[in-house]
């Protein structure tokens, strides 16, 4: 299992007085730390809000590429519905050149909708936009010269798209929430699947992932081509108790605020403990507990090829995040990937 981190480039984590310049510098330092600690992937989301600095993820990832050597660098996710697929491909192909073949894309329709009015799109075309633009993006990565026409973008007539990526086929994952049609679409296209699970029990997504695999196999793709990734909130500290003490206050504050905006109930310690329990979505704890939970999630979903933590949205300090990245690299990843450790750590 590949293990990494996704970030929304929060401008205010750990301190309401942190400047955007300092927040960006510390984010890049964490990506370097992840590279040195042996994490497989680092993703940057896309938002267009004051509290986040990730409106141009390819720029952040390019800066990280210049300071790292091995870690793969991806969007998480690119809101393709409100973007020009030509520019998306060009940006990430350029990132691929800078990183010497370490760039990836996770594309989605976008759970946050602020990009639609910002770029002049109608939410009524939410799925139609994504379908058309995904088709064009996949065609661009396959062909240097493009002839194409659609509803939402000017046609292309034998138009070359440059630069080309260093990788023969730039990896494109499909980011999904809980819509069955999105899982079927990913399978039909043979695209690797990144599932964002932020609430409830992770195992409830098994029927949807089964839909993905069934659609992929019916479309002629082998099981090996149908990779599944999982993205969830989480945090690792030296002990279970320390992890909860660090993570709970900021998590409760953030999600209670979000709940007021979206009609969710406030976070209580009881609801947090349930979410952090054996079957819950939160991957919070010491190394053994977290490794056990990742393995359990993988088993419940029929196999998970990649897991990414969302850590920097719970008021954690830069120092806490750096330490957590080190623990993931030195203690969690070896436990997950060592077959002999499996029997020892699944007791949680």
């Amino acid at each position: 299992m590949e293990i990494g981190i996704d970030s929304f480039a929060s401008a205010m984590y750990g301190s309401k007085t942190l400047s955007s310049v300092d927040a960006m510098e510390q984010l890049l330092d964490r990506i370097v730390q992840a590279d040195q600690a042996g994490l497989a992937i680092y993703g940057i989301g896309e938002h267009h809000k004051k509290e986040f600095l990730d409106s141009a993820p390819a720029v952040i990832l390019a800066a990280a590429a210049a300071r790292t050597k091995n870690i793969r660098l991806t969007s998480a996710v690119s809101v393709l519905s409100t973007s020009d697929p030509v520019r998306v491909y060009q940006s990430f192909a350029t990132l691929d050149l800078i990183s010497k073949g370490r760039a990836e894309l996770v594309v989605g329709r976008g759970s946050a909708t602020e990009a639609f009015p910002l770029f002049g799109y109608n939410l009524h075309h939410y799925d139609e936009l994504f379908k058309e633009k995904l088709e064009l993006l996949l065609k661009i990565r396959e062909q240097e010269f493009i002839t194409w026409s659609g509803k939402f973008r000017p046609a292309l007539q034998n138009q070359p798209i440059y630069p080309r990526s260093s990788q023969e086929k730039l990896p494109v994952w499909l980011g999904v929430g809980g819509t069955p049609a999105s899982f079927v679409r990913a399978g039909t296209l043979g695209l690797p699947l990144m599932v964002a699970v932020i609430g409830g029990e992770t195992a409830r997504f098994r029927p949807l992932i089964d839909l993905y695999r069934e659609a992929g196999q019916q479309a002629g793709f082998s099981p090996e081509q149908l990779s599944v990734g999982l993205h969830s909130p989480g945090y690792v500290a030296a002990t279970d108790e320390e992890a909860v003490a660090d993570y709970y206050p900021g998590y409760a504050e953030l999600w209670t605020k979000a709940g007021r905006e979206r009609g969710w109930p406030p976070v209580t310690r009881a609801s947090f403990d349930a979410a952090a329990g054996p079957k819950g979505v939160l991957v919070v704890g010491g190394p053994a507990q977290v490794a056990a939970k990742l393995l359990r999630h993988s088993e419940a979903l029929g196999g998970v090829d990649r897991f990414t933590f969302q850590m920097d949205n719970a008021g954690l300090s830069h120092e806490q995040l750096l330490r957590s990245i080190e623990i993931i690299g030195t203690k969690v990843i070896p436990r997950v990937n060592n077959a002999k450790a499996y029997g020892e750590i699944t007791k949680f």
Side-chain angles (χ1 to χ4, degrees):
M1 182 190 300
E2 295 179 328
I3 296 177
I5 292 173
D6 289 334
S7 172
F8 296 162
S10 171
M12 296 171 61
Y13 66 88
S15 170
K16 297 188 183 301
T17 61
L18 191 70
S19 73
S20 295
V21 171
D22 289 340
M24 186 64 74
E25 179 62 24
Q26 291 181 4
L27 171 61
L28 293 172
D29 286 345
R30 293 199 296 277
I31 301 176
V32 171
Q33 173 84 332
D35 183 46
Q36 294 173 347
L39 276 66
I41 192 85
Y42 211 107
I44 300 295
E46 180 187 339
H47 298 82
H48 302 272
K49 297 180 178 180
K50 183 178 181 179
E51 60 265 35
F52 301 115
L53 300 174
D54 61 347
S55 63
V59 178
I60 299 174
L61 293 168
R67 297 176 56 180
T68 56
K69 295 181 179 180
N70 299 306
I71 196 165
R72 297 190 68 78
L73 302 165
T74 185
S75 59
V77 302
S78 292
V79 185
L80 189 60
S81 303
T82 59
S83 302
D84 181 354
V86 174
R87 293 299 285 160
V88 170
Y89 179 84
Q90 289 175 326
S91 295
F92 280 82
T94 302
L95 171 64
D96 204 43
L97 298 177
I98 295 170
S99 66
K100 297 181 173 63
R102 293 185 282 130
E104 298 189 4
L105 269 164
V106 180
V107 299
R109 296 182 298 178
S111 60
T113 59
E114 72 273 2
F116 285 81
L118 181 63
F119 296 111
Y121 290 100
N122 192 325
L123 268 172
H124 292 298
H125 299 143
Y126 185 72
D127 190 66
E128 196 178 1
L129 277 163
F130 182 73
K131 181 179 179 181
E132 177 178 298
K133 293 190 175 193
L134 179 61
E135 173 194 292
L136 177 54
L137 177 67
L138 295 179
K139 189 168 186 175
I140 291 170
R141 76 163 180 169
E142 298 286 346
Q143 301 174 18
E144 183 176 339
F145 287 80
I146 301 297
T147 296
W148 175 91
S149 63
K151 177 179 178 180
F152 299 103
R153 189 200 186 284
L156 297 166
Q157 184 63 42
N158 199 34
Q159 181 69 48
I161 308 297
Y162 301 118
R164 306 306 298 175
S165 63
S166 173
Q167 297 173 86
E168 182 176 352
K169 181 181 283 190
L170 185 68
V172 176
W173 295 62
L174 190 60
V176 299
T179 306
S182 296
F183 287 78
V184 172
R185 174 159 43 211
T188 301
L189 294 171
L191 296 176
L193 183 76
M194 179 56 70
V195 188
V197 182
I198 61 173
E201 293 187 356
T202 300
R204 67 191 171 91
F205 279 81
R206 178 62 183 266
L208 294 171
I209 291 175
D210 287 344
L211 273 178
Y212 162 69
R213 291 180 171 128
E214 290 167 8
Q217 290 174 17
Q218 289 175 6
F221 297 99
S222 68
E224 293 74 25
Q225 293 174 287
L226 302 172
S227 297
V228 174
L230 178 63
H231 159 102
S232 292
Y235 172 70
V236 191
T239 66
D240 299 340
E241 296 76 16
E242 181 183 341
V244 171
D246 288 349
Y247 191 80
Y248 173 71
Y251 173 86
E253 179 182 356
L254 171 76
W255 288 98
T256 297
K257 178 182 177 182
R260 287 195 295 267
E261 298 171 354
R262 303 188 185 189
W264 303 335
V267 175
T268 65
R269 182 55 191 265
S271 64
F272 174 85
D273 288 343
K279 296 182 179 180
V281 64
L282 295 180
V283 186
V284 176
Q289 180 166 296
V290 164
K293 193 162 190 178
L294 292 180
L295 289 167
R296 186 177 300 105
H297 281 347
S298 181
E299 183 178 5
L301 298 177
V304 169
D305 302 286
R306 174 179 291 180
F307 178 82
T308 55
F309 289 87
Q310 171 60 38
M311 291 199 306
D312 64 357
N313 61 347
L316 297 162
S317 70
H318 178 55
E319 290 71 24
Q320 288 171 317
L321 293 168
L322 286 174
R323 177 60 180 159
S324 189
I325 290 168
E326 179 185 355
I327 294 172
I328 291 169
T330 59
K331 298 185 181 299
V332 175
I333 290 175
R335 279 179 164 85
V336 170
N337 291 336
N338 185 343
K340 292 182 180 179
Y342 182 85
E344 301 170 11
I345 64 179
T346 51
K347 297 175 184 178
F348 166 65

